[in-house]
């Protein structure tokens, strides 16, 4: 079903054109049927005209329903869909590298076998100035109440963006809101933190192009404090 939603959103403009053309024919048919019914004299003639007018009215209402259904789907349903997963980056074979180090230099091999503590992930690696970035709040900033999010969403073939939050150290992302407007160093939306437990959180800005392809998310850490 998600594939169908994205297809309808991708060809949104073409669908509107086709529905508009269909609506013109349907309303023209309705107008002619109404005139025939109005000018009818005999009962059987009026009955046939009324039947044609009812059919034209049903088709016109169906086209209106499809038009507003497409508008609702493209504006609210598709922006709330999860971003398609990115392809995993292949990793090198650490075992082969270790075996090569043993055969060449024992000191290097000993270094490779020594446990190395993992560094914390670079939470801002997906932020690209001038394209996809959150500029306010700043990384590590303390926030409370209703927070205004400021940043930039400006890419080629733009589709929509959404922003989410999750407790620090988890992948339990909750969508705050989404939109289909390009933003250049402006207000992306707001985030109500009044219902959250004070602590460390992550803010994530995700952008998807018109073909449904997701970009690396811009993620920054923030700290929610009591108002």
């Amino acid at each position: 079903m998600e594939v169908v939603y994205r297809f309808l959103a991708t060809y949104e403009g073409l669908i509107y054109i086709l529905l508009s053309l269909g609506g013109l024919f349907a309303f023209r048919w309705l107008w002619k049927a109404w005139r025939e019914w109005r000018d009818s004299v005999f009962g059987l003639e009026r009955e046939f005209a009324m039947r044609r007018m009812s059919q034209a009215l049903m088709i016109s209402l169906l086209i209106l329903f499809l038009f507003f259904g497409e508008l609702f789907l493209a504006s609210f349903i598709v922006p709330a869909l999860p971003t398609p997963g990115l392809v995993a980056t292949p990793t090198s074979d650490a075992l082969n590298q270790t075996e090569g180090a043993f055969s060449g230099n024992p000191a290097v091999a000993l270094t490779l076998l020594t446990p190395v503590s993992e560094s914390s992930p670079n939470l801002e690696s997906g932020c690209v100035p001038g394209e996809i970035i959150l500029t306010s709040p700043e990384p590590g900033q303390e926030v409370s109440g209703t927070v205004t999010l400021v940043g930039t969403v400006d890419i080629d073939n733009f589709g929509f963006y959404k922003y989410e939050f999750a407790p620090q150290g988890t992948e339990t992302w909750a969508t705050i809101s989404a939109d289909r407007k390009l933003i250049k160093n402006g207000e992306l939306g707001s985030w109500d933190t009044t219902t959250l437990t004070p602590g460390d959180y992550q803010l994530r800005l995700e952008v998807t192009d018109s073909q449904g392809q997701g970009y690396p998310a811009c993620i920054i850490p923030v700290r929610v404090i009591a108002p």
Side-chain angles (χ1 to χ4, degrees):
M1 186 61 70
E2 181 178 335
V3 176
V4 176
Y5 288 161
R6 295 194 185 279
F7 174 84
L8 293 176
T10 300
Y11 297 98
E12 179 182 1
L14 178 61
I15 291 173
Y16 287 147
I17 293 174
L18 294 177
L19 289 175
S20 298
L21 292 175
L24 288 176
F25 283 108
F27 286 127
R28 183 173 179 269
W29 183 20
L30 179 61
W31 170 253
K32 291 179 63 177
W34 178 80
R35 292 191 61 182
E36 290 178 6
W37 175 82
R38 185 193 61 181
D39 298 336
S40 298
V41 177
F42 302 103
L44 188 59
E45 185 181 9
R46 291 177 65 87
E47 182 180 344
F48 287 152
M50 175 62 73
R51 186 178 302 174
R52 287 192 293 270
M53 188 167 62
S54 299
Q55 293 173 347
L57 179 61
M58 290 180 60
I59 293 177
S60 300
L61 291 176
L62 176 61
I63 291 176
L64 279 176
F65 176 79
L66 293 175
F67 186 92
F68 286 108
E70 170 70 16
L71 180 64
F72 177 80
L73 185 147
S75 301
F76 300 101
I77 301 299
V78 173
L81 293 177
T83 302
L86 300 177
V87 178
T89 303
T91 56
S92 59
D93 190 341
L95 180 59
N96 291 338
Q97 292 179 356
T98 304
E99 291 176 353
F102 270 119
S103 61
N105 190 335
V108 175
L110 181 61
T111 303
L112 289 174
L113 293 175
T114 304
V116 179
S117 60
E118 294 184 357
S119 60
S120 59
N122 183 5
L123 295 179
E124 301 169 64
S125 59
C127 301
V128 181
E131 295 183 7
I132 305 172
I133 191 168
L134 281 166
T135 54
S136 180
E138 297 179 353
Q141 181 178 335
E142 294 183 344
V143 298
S144 64
T146 300
V147 182
T148 299
L149 305 183
V150 178
T152 296
V153 175
D154 187 14
I155 63 169
D156 294 333
N157 300 319
F158 173 72
F160 64 89
Y161 72 86
K162 64 179 179 178
Y163 50 95
E164 305 172 308
F165 76 94
Q168 188 72 269
T170 73
E171 292 297 322
T172 311
W173 295 99
T175 299
I176 306 170
S177 187
D179 209 331
R180 297 169 59 85
K181 297 184 298 184
L182 288 171
I183 305 293
K184 295 183 179 180
N185 195 27
E187 183 176 337
L188 299 171
S190 60
W191 178 30
D192 184 8
T193 66
T194 56
T195 60
L196 300 179
T197 302
D200 293 327
Y201 290 83
Q202 305 171 79
L203 269 177
R204 179 168 74 177
L205 174 62
E206 285 194 334
V207 179
T208 302
D209 65 18
S210 59
Q211 303 302 317
Q213 178 63 48
Y215 283 68
C218 175
I219 304 176
I220 64 170
V222 294
R223 172 165 294 179
V224 174
I225 61 175

